[in-house]
Amino acid sequence: MIYPMGGTIDGKQGNHILLAPPFILEDAQCDEIVDKLNASLQSVMRHLGDDH
């Protein structure tokens, strides 16, 4: 599960995400989560760059 969160800096400003994988997690599964999150963020950043 990935939960979007806000208020990183002062409780109101900023953004972060919370990853909540299951308690039973293999190393390969953890790597997959990180790889997919990275690919998603890179895609978003590329699209944001197109607009600005």
Side-chain angles (χ1 to χ4, degrees):
M1 299 288 299
I2 298 177
Y3 300 95
M5 306 292 287
T8 305
I9 297 171
D10 61 2
K12 296 179 183 175
Q13 298 180 31
N15 298 298
H16 67 275
I17 57 172
L18 171 70
L19 298 176
F23 288 120
I24 49 173
L25 184 70
E26 300 288 330
D27 288 346
Q29 293 168 315
C30 184
D31 291 342
E32 181 180 356
I33 290 169
V34 171
D35 290 343
K36 287 182 177 183
L37 178 59
N38 182 52
S40 298
L41 293 173
Q42 292 296 324
S43 177
V44 167
M45 296 304 291
R46 279 193 302 274
H47 285 94
L48 288 176
D50 292 344
D51 294 338
H52 293 63

